[in-house]
mmCIF file with all atom_site columns, all heavy atoms in Angstrom:
data_model
loop_
_atom_site.group_PDB
_atom_site.id
_atom_site.type_symbol
_atom_site.label_atom_id
_atom_site.label_alt_id
_atom_site.label_comp_id
_atom_site.label_asym_id
_atom_site.label_entity_id
_atom_site.label_seq_id
_atom_site.pdbx_PDB_ins_code
_atom_site.Cartn_x
_atom_site.Cartn_y
_atom_site.Cartn_z
_atom_site.occupancy
_atom_site.B_iso_or_equiv
_atom_site.pdbx_formal_charge
_atom_site.auth_seq_id
_atom_site.auth_comp_id
_atom_site.auth_asym_id
_atom_site.auth_atom_id
_atom_site.pdbx_PDB_model_num
ATOM 1   N N   . LEU P 1 1  ? 67.164 53.429 59.159 1.00 0.00 ? 7  LEU P N   1
ATOM 2   C CA  . LEU P 1 1  ? 66.149 54.389 58.735 1.00 0.00 ? 7  LEU P CA  1
ATOM 3   C C   . LEU P 1 1  ? 66.728 55.201 57.591 1.00 0.00 ? 7  LEU P C   1
ATOM 4   O O   . LEU P 1 1  ? 67.799 55.795 57.734 1.00 0.00 ? 7  LEU P O   1
ATOM 5   C CB  . LEU P 1 1  ? 65.747 55.336 59.868 1.00 0.00 ? 7  LEU P CB  1
ATOM 6   C CG  . LEU P 1 1  ? 64.761 56.456 59.477 1.00 0.00 ? 7  LEU P CG  1
ATOM 7   C CD1 . LEU P 1 1  ? 63.386 55.873 59.148 1.00 0.00 ? 7  LEU P CD1 1
ATOM 8   C CD2 . LEU P 1 1  ? 64.660 57.493 60.571 1.00 0.00 ? 7  LEU P CD2 1
ATOM 9   N N   . VAL P 1 2  ? 66.008 55.201 56.466 1.00 0.00 ? 8  VAL P N   1
ATOM 10  C CA  . VAL P 1 2  ? 66.380 56.050 55.333 1.00 0.00 ? 8  VAL P CA  1
ATOM 11  C C   . VAL P 1 2  ? 65.734 57.413 55.569 1.00 0.00 ? 8  VAL P C   1
ATOM 12  O O   . VAL P 1 2  ? 64.522 57.511 55.690 1.00 0.00 ? 8  VAL P O   1
ATOM 13  C CB  . VAL P 1 2  ? 65.901 55.449 53.992 1.00 0.00 ? 8  VAL P CB  1
ATOM 14  C CG1 . VAL P 1 2  ? 66.204 56.406 52.849 1.00 0.00 ? 8  VAL P CG1 1
ATOM 15  C CG2 . VAL P 1 2  ? 66.545 54.094 53.747 1.00 0.00 ? 8  VAL P CG2 1
ATOM 16  N N   . VAL P 1 3  ? 66.573 58.436 55.660 1.00 0.00 ? 9  VAL P N   1
ATOM 17  C CA  . VAL P 1 3  ? 66.081 59.800 55.895 1.00 0.00 ? 9  VAL P CA  1
ATOM 18  C C   . VAL P 1 3  ? 66.007 60.521 54.551 1.00 0.00 ? 9  VAL P C   1
ATOM 19  O O   . VAL P 1 3  ? 66.996 60.633 53.841 1.00 0.00 ? 9  VAL P O   1
ATOM 20  C CB  . VAL P 1 3  ? 67.009 60.556 56.864 1.00 0.00 ? 9  VAL P CB  1
ATOM 21  C CG1 . VAL P 1 3  ? 66.537 61.993 57.044 1.00 0.00 ? 9  VAL P CG1 1
ATOM 22  C CG2 . VAL P 1 3  ? 67.071 59.836 58.205 1.00 0.00 ? 9  VAL P CG2 1
ATOM 23  N N   . GLU P 1 4  ? 64.807 60.967 54.244 1.00 0.00 ? 10 GLU P N   1
ATOM 24  C CA  . GLU P 1 4  ? 64.574 61.717 53.010 1.00 0.00 ? 10 GLU P CA  1
ATOM 25  C C   . GLU P 1 4  ? 64.146 63.132 53.376 1.00 0.00 ? 10 GLU P C   1
ATOM 26  O O   . GLU P 1 4  ? 63.941 63.440 54.556 1.00 0.00 ? 10 GLU P O   1
ATOM 27  C CB  . GLU P 1 4  ? 63.500 61.018 52.175 1.00 0.00 ? 10 GLU P CB  1
ATOM 28  C CG  . GLU P 1 4  ? 63.925 59.609 51.782 1.00 0.00 ? 10 GLU P CG  1
ATOM 29  C CD  . GLU P 1 4  ? 62.833 58.833 51.090 1.00 0.00 ? 10 GLU P CD  1
ATOM 30  O OE1 . GLU P 1 4  ? 61.718 58.767 51.614 1.00 0.00 ? 10 GLU P OE1 1
ATOM 31  O OE2 . GLU P 1 4  ? 63.128 58.301 50.013 1.00 0.00 ? 10 GLU P OE2 1
ATOM 32  N N   . LYS P 1 5  ? 63.996 63.973 52.385 1.00 0.00 ? 11 LYS P N   1
ATOM 33  C CA  . LYS P 1 5  ? 63.604 65.365 52.637 1.00 0.00 ? 11 LYS P CA  1
ATOM 34  C C   . LYS P 1 5  ? 62.279 65.446 53.385 1.00 0.00 ? 11 LYS P C   1
ATOM 35  O O   . LYS P 1 5  ? 62.068 66.345 54.188 1.00 0.00 ? 11 LYS P O   1
ATOM 36  C CB  . LYS P 1 5  ? 63.499 66.140 51.324 1.00 0.00 ? 11 LYS P CB  1
ATOM 37  C CG  . LYS P 1 5  ? 64.826 66.370 50.662 1.00 0.00 ? 11 LYS P CG  1
ATOM 38  C CD  . LYS P 1 5  ? 64.663 67.073 49.339 1.00 0.00 ? 11 LYS P CD  1
ATOM 39  C CE  . LYS P 1 5  ? 66.025 67.189 48.673 1.00 0.00 ? 11 LYS P CE  1
ATOM 40  N NZ  . LYS P 1 5  ? 65.957 67.604 47.296 1.00 0.00 ? 11 LYS P NZ  1
ATOM 41  N N   . GLU P 1 6  ? 61.393 64.500 53.123 1.00 0.00 ? 12 GLU P N   1
ATOM 42  C CA  . GLU P 1 6  ? 60.060 64.510 53.733 1.00 0.00 ? 12 GLU P CA  1
ATOM 43  C C   . GLU P 1 6  ? 60.036 63.886 55.123 1.00 0.00 ? 12 GLU P C   1
ATOM 44  O O   . GLU P 1 6  ? 59.002 63.927 55.795 1.00 0.00 ? 12 GLU P O   1
ATOM 45  C CB  . GLU P 1 6  ? 59.053 63.753 52.858 1.00 0.00 ? 12 GLU P CB  1
ATOM 46  C CG  . GLU P 1 6  ? 58.978 64.218 51.414 1.00 0.00 ? 12 GLU P CG  1
ATOM 47  C CD  . GLU P 1 6  ? 60.067 63.604 50.538 1.00 0.00 ? 12 GLU P CD  1
ATOM 48  O OE1 . GLU P 1 6  ? 60.461 62.450 50.765 1.00 0.00 ? 12 GLU P OE1 1
ATOM 49  O OE2 . GLU P 1 6  ? 60.533 64.308 49.632 1.00 0.00 ? 12 GLU P OE2 1
ATOM 50  N N   . THR P 1 7  ? 61.127 63.272 55.553 1.00 0.00 ? 13 THR P N   1
ATOM 51  C CA  . THR P 1 7  ? 61.139 62.599 56.850 1.00 0.00 ? 13 THR P CA  1
ATOM 52  C C   . THR P 1 7  ? 61.039 63.630 57.967 1.00 0.00 ? 13 THR P C   1
ATOM 53  O O   . THR P 1 7  ? 61.829 64.573 58.025 1.00 0.00 ? 13 THR P O   1
ATOM 54  C CB  . THR P 1 7  ? 62.429 61.769 57.019 1.00 0.00 ? 13 THR P CB  1
ATOM 55  O OG1 . THR P 1 7  ? 62.567 60.878 55.913 1.00 0.00 ? 13 THR P OG1 1
ATOM 56  C CG2 . THR P 1 7  ? 62.393 60.962 58.297 1.00 0.00 ? 13 THR P CG2 1
ATOM 57  N N   . ALA P 1 8  ? 60.085 63.429 58.853 1.00 0.00 ? 14 ALA P N   1
ATOM 58  C CA  . ALA P 1 8  ? 59.875 64.362 59.967 1.00 0.00 ? 14 ALA P CA  1
ATOM 59  C C   . ALA P 1 8  ? 61.011 64.257 60.974 1.00 0.00 ? 14 ALA P C   1
ATOM 60  O O   . ALA P 1 8  ? 61.554 63.174 61.215 1.00 0.00 ? 14 ALA P O   1
ATOM 61  C CB  . ALA P 1 8  ? 58.550 64.055 60.657 1.00 0.00 ? 14 ALA P CB  1
ATOM 62  N N   . LEU P 1 9  ? 61.363 65.377 61.555 1.00 0.00 ? 15 LEU P N   1
ATOM 63  C CA  . LEU P 1 9  ? 62.412 65.421 62.561 1.00 0.00 ? 15 LEU P CA  1
ATOM 64  C C   . LEU P 1 9  ? 62.084 64.503 63.737 1.00 0.00 ? 15 LEU P C   1
ATOM 65  O O   . LEU P 1 9  ? 62.960 63.820 64.267 1.00 0.00 ? 15 LEU P O   1
ATOM 66  C CB  . LEU P 1 9  ? 62.603 66.864 63.037 1.00 0.00 ? 15 LEU P CB  1
ATOM 67  C CG  . LEU P 1 9  ? 63.814 67.156 63.894 1.00 0.00 ? 15 LEU P CG  1
ATOM 68  C CD1 . LEU P 1 9  ? 65.100 66.793 63.160 1.00 0.00 ? 15 LEU P CD1 1
ATOM 69  C CD2 . LEU P 1 9  ? 63.829 68.610 64.292 1.00 0.00 ? 15 LEU P CD2 1
ATOM 70  N N   . ALA P 1 10 ? 60.819 64.461 64.116 1.00 0.00 ? 16 ALA P N   1
ATOM 71  C CA  . ALA P 1 10 ? 60.387 63.587 65.217 1.00 0.00 ? 16 ALA P CA  1
ATOM 72  C C   . ALA P 1 10 ? 60.633 62.119 64.883 1.00 0.00 ? 16 ALA P C   1
ATOM 73  O O   . ALA P 1 10 ? 61.018 61.336 65.762 1.00 0.00 ? 16 ALA P O   1
ATOM 74  C CB  . ALA P 1 10 ? 58.917 63.823 65.528 1.00 0.00 ? 16 ALA P CB  1
ATOM 75  N N   . GLU P 1 11 ? 60.428 61.737 63.632 1.00 0.00 ? 17 GLU P N   1
ATOM 76  C CA  . GLU P 1 11 ? 60.661 60.351 63.221 1.00 0.00 ? 17 GLU P CA  1
ATOM 77  C C   . GLU P 1 11 ? 62.150 60.006 63.312 1.00 0.00 ? 17 GLU P C   1
ATOM 78  O O   . GLU P 1 11 ? 62.510 58.907 63.741 1.00 0.00 ? 17 GLU P O   1
ATOM 79  C CB  . GLU P 1 11 ? 60.157 60.136 61.792 1.00 0.00 ? 17 GLU P CB  1
ATOM 80  C CG  . GLU P 1 11 ? 60.267 58.711 61.312 1.00 0.00 ? 17 GLU P CG  1
ATOM 81  C CD  . GLU P 1 11 ? 59.762 58.506 59.898 1.00 0.00 ? 17 GLU P CD  1
ATOM 82  O OE1 . GLU P 1 11 ? 59.225 59.449 59.292 1.00 0.00 ? 17 GLU P OE1 1
ATOM 83  O OE2 . GLU P 1 11 ? 59.927 57.379 59.391 1.00 0.00 ? 17 GLU P OE2 1
ATOM 84  N N   . ILE P 1 12 ? 63.003 60.935 62.918 1.00 0.00 ? 18 ILE P N   1
ATOM 85  C CA  . ILE P 1 12 ? 64.457 60.713 63.000 1.00 0.00 ? 18 ILE P CA  1
ATOM 86  C C   . ILE P 1 12 ? 64.876 60.551 64.454 1.00 0.00 ? 18 ILE P C   1
ATOM 87  O O   . ILE P 1 12 ? 65.591 59.612 64.815 1.00 0.00 ? 18 ILE P O   1
ATOM 88  C CB  . ILE P 1 12 ? 65.223 61.881 62.344 1.00 0.00 ? 18 ILE P CB  1
ATOM 89  C CG1 . ILE P 1 12 ? 64.883 61.985 60.861 1.00 0.00 ? 18 ILE P CG1 1
ATOM 90  C CG2 . ILE P 1 12 ? 66.721 61.726 62.547 1.00 0.00 ? 18 ILE P CG2 1
ATOM 91  C CD1 . ILE P 1 12 ? 65.359 63.261 60.196 1.00 0.00 ? 18 ILE P CD1 1
ATOM 92  N N   . GLU P 1 13 ? 64.404 61.451 65.287 1.00 0.00 ? 19 GLU P N   1
ATOM 93  C CA  . GLU P 1 13 ? 64.759 61.406 66.704 1.00 0.00 ? 19 GLU P CA  1
ATOM 94  C C   . GLU P 1 13 ? 64.213 60.148 67.372 1.00 0.00 ? 19 GLU P C   1
ATOM 95  O O   . GLU P 1 13 ? 64.900 59.516 68.178 1.00 0.00 ? 19 GLU P O   1
ATOM 96  C CB  . GLU P 1 13 ? 64.252 62.657 67.415 1.00 0.00 ? 19 GLU P CB  1
ATOM 97  C CG  . GLU P 1 13 ? 64.839 62.835 68.775 1.00 0.00 ? 19 GLU P CG  1
ATOM 98  C CD  . GLU P 1 13 ? 64.534 64.188 69.381 1.00 0.00 ? 19 GLU P CD  1
ATOM 99  O OE1 . GLU P 1 13 ? 64.260 65.153 68.636 1.00 0.00 ? 19 GLU P OE1 1
ATOM 100 O OE2 . GLU P 1 13 ? 64.577 64.263 70.626 1.00 0.00 ? 19 GLU P OE2 1
ATOM 101 N N   . ASP P 1 14 ? 62.987 59.762 67.048 1.00 0.00 ? 20 ASP P N   1
ATOM 102 C CA  . ASP P 1 14 ? 62.399 58.545 67.610 1.00 0.00 ? 20 ASP P CA  1
ATOM 103 C C   . ASP P 1 14 ? 63.203 57.308 67.212 1.00 0.00 ? 20 ASP P C   1
ATOM 104 O O   . ASP P 1 14 ? 63.440 56.422 68.040 1.00 0.00 ? 20 ASP P O   1
ATOM 105 C CB  . ASP P 1 14 ? 60.947 58.374 67.168 1.00 0.00 ? 20 ASP P CB  1
ATOM 106 C CG  . ASP P 1 14 ? 60.008 59.376 67.826 1.00 0.00 ? 20 ASP P CG  1
ATOM 107 O OD1 . ASP P 1 14 ? 60.419 60.035 68.807 1.00 0.00 ? 20 ASP P OD1 1
ATOM 108 O OD2 . ASP P 1 14 ? 58.861 59.505 67.341 1.00 0.00 ? 20 ASP P OD2 1
ATOM 109 N N   . ALA P 1 15 ? 63.610 57.242 65.946 1.00 0.00 ? 21 ALA P N   1
ATOM 110 C CA  . ALA P 1 15 ? 64.416 56.107 65.487 1.00 0.00 ? 21 ALA P CA  1
ATOM 111 C C   . ALA P 1 15 ? 65.744 56.068 66.224 1.00 0.00 ? 21 ALA P C   1
ATOM 112 O O   . ALA P 1 15 ? 66.184 55.004 66.689 1.00 0.00 ? 21 ALA P O   1
ATOM 113 C CB  . ALA P 1 15 ? 64.641 56.190 63.981 1.00 0.00 ? 21 ALA P CB  1
ATOM 114 N N   . PHE P 1 16 ? 66.400 57.220 66.358 1.00 0.00 ? 22 PHE P N   1
ATOM 115 C CA  . PHE P 1 16 ? 67.678 57.290 67.071 1.00 0.00 ? 22 PHE P CA  1
ATOM 116 C C   . PHE P 1 16 ? 67.516 56.811 68.509 1.00 0.00 ? 22 PHE P C   1
ATOM 117 O O   . PHE P 1 16 ? 68.272 55.963 68.979 1.00 0.00 ? 22 PHE P O   1
ATOM 118 C CB  . PHE P 1 16 ? 68.227 58.722 67.033 1.00 0.00 ? 22 PHE P CB  1
ATOM 119 C CG  . PHE P 1 16 ? 69.504 58.894 67.805 1.00 0.00 ? 22 PHE P CG  1
ATOM 120 C CD1 . PHE P 1 16 ? 70.699 58.391 67.311 1.00 0.00 ? 22 PHE P CD1 1
ATOM 121 C CD2 . PHE P 1 16 ? 69.508 59.556 69.023 1.00 0.00 ? 22 PHE P CD2 1
ATOM 122 C CE1 . PHE P 1 16 ? 71.875 58.543 68.024 1.00 0.00 ? 22 PHE P CE1 1
ATOM 123 C CE2 . PHE P 1 16 ? 70.679 59.713 69.741 1.00 0.00 ? 22 PHE P CE2 1
ATOM 124 C CZ  . PHE P 1 16 ? 71.867 59.206 69.238 1.00 0.00 ? 22 PHE P CZ  1
ATOM 125 N N   . ARG P 1 17 ? 66.507 57.323 69.194 1.00 0.00 ? 23 ARG P N   1
ATOM 126 C CA  . ARG P 1 17 ? 66.294 56.929 70.593 1.00 0.00 ? 23 ARG P CA  1
ATOM 127 C C   . ARG P 1 17 ? 65.940 55.439 70.710 1.00 0.00 ? 23 ARG P C   1
ATOM 128 O O   . ARG P 1 17 ? 66.362 54.770 71.652 1.00 0.00 ? 23 ARG P O   1
ATOM 129 C CB  . ARG P 1 17 ? 65.213 57.787 71.227 1.00 0.00 ? 23 ARG P CB  1
ATOM 130 C CG  . ARG P 1 17 ? 65.654 59.224 71.437 1.00 0.00 ? 23 ARG P CG  1
ATOM 131 C CD  . ARG P 1 17 ? 64.566 60.032 72.167 1.00 0.00 ? 23 ARG P CD  1
ATOM 132 N NE  . ARG P 1 17 ? 64.808 61.453 72.106 1.00 0.00 ? 23 ARG P NE  1
ATOM 133 C CZ  . ARG P 1 17 ? 65.655 62.125 72.877 1.00 0.00 ? 23 ARG P CZ  1
ATOM 134 N NH1 . ARG P 1 17 ? 66.362 61.473 73.762 1.00 0.00 ? 23 ARG P NH1 1
ATOM 135 N NH2 . ARG P 1 17 ? 65.797 63.434 72.758 1.00 0.00 ? 23 ARG P NH2 1
ATOM 136 N N   . SER P 1 18 ? 65.188 54.923 69.751 1.00 0.00 ? 24 SER P N   1
ATOM 137 C CA  . SER P 1 18 ? 64.847 53.494 69.805 1.00 0.00 ? 24 SER P CA  1
ATOM 138 C C   . SER P 1 18 ? 66.080 52.627 69.587 1.00 0.00 ? 24 SER P C   1
ATOM 139 O O   . SER P 1 18 ? 66.230 51.581 70.219 1.00 0.00 ? 24 SER P O   1
ATOM 140 C CB  . SER P 1 18 ? 63.746 53.146 68.808 1.00 0.00 ? 24 SER P CB  1
ATOM 141 O OG  . SER P 1 18 ? 64.230 53.125 67.486 1.00 0.00 ? 24 SER P OG  1
ATOM 142 N N   . PHE P 1 19 ? 66.992 53.066 68.712 1.00 0.00 ? 25 PHE P N   1
ATOM 143 C CA  . PHE P 1 19 ? 68.238 52.321 68.512 1.00 0.00 ? 25 PHE P CA  1
ATOM 144 C C   . PHE P 1 19 ? 69.076 52.314 69.795 1.00 0.00 ? 25 PHE P C   1
ATOM 145 O O   . PHE P 1 19 ? 69.703 51.313 70.129 1.00 0.00 ? 25 PHE P O   1
ATOM 146 C CB  . PHE P 1 19 ? 69.062 52.909 67.363 1.00 0.00 ? 25 PHE P CB  1
ATOM 147 C CG  . PHE P 1 19 ? 68.438 52.759 66.002 1.00 0.00 ? 25 PHE P CG  1
ATOM 148 C CD1 . PHE P 1 19 ? 68.765 53.638 64.982 1.00 0.00 ? 25 PHE P CD1 1
ATOM 149 C CD2 . PHE P 1 19 ? 67.520 51.758 65.717 1.00 0.00 ? 25 PHE P CD2 1
ATOM 150 C CE1 . PHE P 1 19 ? 68.214 53.510 63.712 1.00 0.00 ? 25 PHE P CE1 1
ATOM 151 C CE2 . PHE P 1 19 ? 66.947 51.622 64.463 1.00 0.00 ? 25 PHE P CE2 1
ATOM 152 C CZ  . PHE P 1 19 ? 67.291 52.504 63.459 1.00 0.00 ? 25 PHE P CZ  1
ATOM 153 N N   . LEU P 1 20 ? 69.080 53.421 70.521 1.00 0.00 ? 26 LEU P N   1
ATOM 154 C CA  . LEU P 1 20 ? 69.843 53.495 71.761 1.00 0.00 ? 26 LEU P CA  1
ATOM 155 C C   . LEU P 1 20 ? 69.287 52.557 72.824 1.00 0.00 ? 26 LEU P C   1
ATOM 156 O O   . LEU P 1 20 ? 70.042 52.063 73.665 1.00 0.00 ? 26 LEU P O   1
ATOM 157 C CB  . LEU P 1 20 ? 69.840 54.923 72.311 1.00 0.00 ? 26 LEU P CB  1
ATOM 158 C CG  . LEU P 1 20 ? 70.517 56.004 71.490 1.00 0.00 ? 26 LEU P CG  1
ATOM 159 C CD1 . LEU P 1 20 ? 70.467 57.340 72.224 1.00 0.00 ? 26 LEU P CD1 1
ATOM 160 C CD2 . LEU P 1 20 ? 71.951 55.641 71.141 1.00 0.00 ? 26 LEU P CD2 1
ATOM 161 N N   . CYS P 1 21 ? 67.992 52.312 72.794 1.00 0.00 ? 27 CYS P N   1
ATOM 162 C CA  . CYS P 1 21 ? 67.348 51.475 73.815 1.00 0.00 ? 27 CYS P CA  1
ATOM 163 C C   . CYS P 1 21 ? 67.401 49.982 73.499 1.00 0.00 ? 27 CYS P C   1
ATOM 164 O O   . CYS P 1 21 ? 67.149 49.162 74.384 1.00 0.00 ? 27 CYS P O   1
ATOM 165 C CB  . CYS P 1 21 ? 65.892 51.891 73.985 1.00 0.00 ? 27 CYS P CB  1
ATOM 166 S SG  . CYS P 1 21 ? 65.705 53.543 74.661 1.00 0.00 ? 27 CYS P SG  1
ATOM 167 N N   . ARG P 1 22 ? 67.713 49.646 72.261 1.00 0.00 ? 28 ARG P N   1
ATOM 168 C CA  . ARG P 1 22 ? 67.704 48.226 71.882 1.00 0.00 ? 28 ARG P CA  1
ATOM 169 C C   . ARG P 1 22 ? 68.966 47.525 72.374 1.00 0.00 ? 28 ARG P C   1
ATOM 170 O O   . ARG P 1 22 ? 70.081 48.001 72.197 1.00 0.00 ? 28 ARG P O   1
ATOM 171 C CB  . ARG P 1 22 ? 67.594 48.088 70.363 1.00 0.00 ? 28 ARG P CB  1
ATOM 172 C CG  . ARG P 1 22 ? 66.198 48.368 69.872 1.00 0.00 ? 28 ARG P CG  1
ATOM 173 C CD  . ARG P 1 22 ? 66.051 48.278 68.389 1.00 0.00 ? 28 ARG P CD  1
ATOM 174 N NE  . ARG P 1 22 ? 66.595 47.088 67.772 1.00 0.00 ? 28 ARG P NE  1
ATOM 175 C CZ  . ARG P 1 22 ? 66.497 46.816 66.487 1.00 0.00 ? 28 ARG P CZ  1
ATOM 176 N NH1 . ARG P 1 22 ? 65.859 47.644 65.682 1.00 0.00 ? 28 ARG P NH1 1
ATOM 177 N NH2 . ARG P 1 22 ? 67.037 45.721 65.993 1.00 0.00 ? 28 ARG P NH2 1
ATOM 178 N N   . GLU P 1 23 ? 68.758 46.376 73.010 1.00 0.00 ? 29 GLU P N   1
ATOM 179 C CA  . GLU P 1 23 ? 69.863 45.583 73.559 1.00 0.00 ? 29 GLU P CA  1
ATOM 180 C C   . GLU P 1 23 ? 70.719 44.936 72.471 1.00 0.00 ? 29 GLU P C   1
ATOM 181 O O   . GLU P 1 23 ? 71.868 44.594 72.714 1.00 0.00 ? 29 GLU P O   1
ATOM 182 C CB  . GLU P 1 23 ? 69.314 44.480 74.472 1.00 0.00 ? 29 GLU P CB  1
ATOM 183 C CG  . GLU P 1 23 ? 68.665 45.011 75.730 1.00 0.00 ? 29 GLU P CG  1
ATOM 184 C CD  . GLU P 1 23 ? 69.666 45.597 76.702 1.00 0.00 ? 29 GLU P CD  1
ATOM 185 O OE1 . GLU P 1 23 ? 70.773 45.047 76.819 1.00 0.00 ? 29 GLU P OE1 1
ATOM 186 O OE2 . GLU P 1 23 ? 69.340 46.621 77.332 1.00 0.00 ? 29 GLU P OE2 1
ATOM 187 N N   . ASP P 1 24 ? 70.151 44.771 71.264 1.00 0.00 ? 30 ASP P N   1
ATOM 188 C CA  . ASP P 1 24 ? 70.866 44.069 70.201 1.00 0.00 ? 30 ASP P CA  1
ATOM 189 C C   . ASP P 1 24 ? 71.724 44.995 69.336 1.00 0.00 ? 30 ASP P C   1
ATOM 190 O O   . ASP P 1 24 ? 72.376 44.543 68.405 1.00 0.00 ? 30 ASP P O   1
ATOM 191 C CB  . ASP P 1 24 ? 69.889 43.288 69.317 1.00 0.00 ? 30 ASP P CB  1
ATOM 192 C CG  . ASP P 1 24 ? 68.857 44.168 68.622 1.00 0.00 ? 30 ASP P CG  1
ATOM 193 O OD1 . ASP P 1 24 ? 68.608 45.297 69.100 1.00 0.00 ? 30 ASP P OD1 1
ATOM 194 O OD2 . ASP P 1 24 ? 68.283 43.715 67.619 1.00 0.00 ? 30 ASP P OD2 1
#
């Protein structure tokens, strides 16, 4: 995920949590 100034905090957190849940 490329985080830019406009990236919402919720989007960053959702991406982080989704990476933690992925088996790969």
Side-chain angles (χ1 to χ4, degrees):
L7 175 68
V8 176
V9 177
E10 299 174 309
K11 291 177 184 168
E12 306 83 34
T13 306
L15 191 59
E17 184 180 355
I18 298 168
E19 193 170 336
D20 289 347
F22 177 74
R23 290 184 194 280
S24 74
F25 293 155
L26 295 183
C27 294
R28 285 179 49 177
E29 293 290 323
D30 61 338

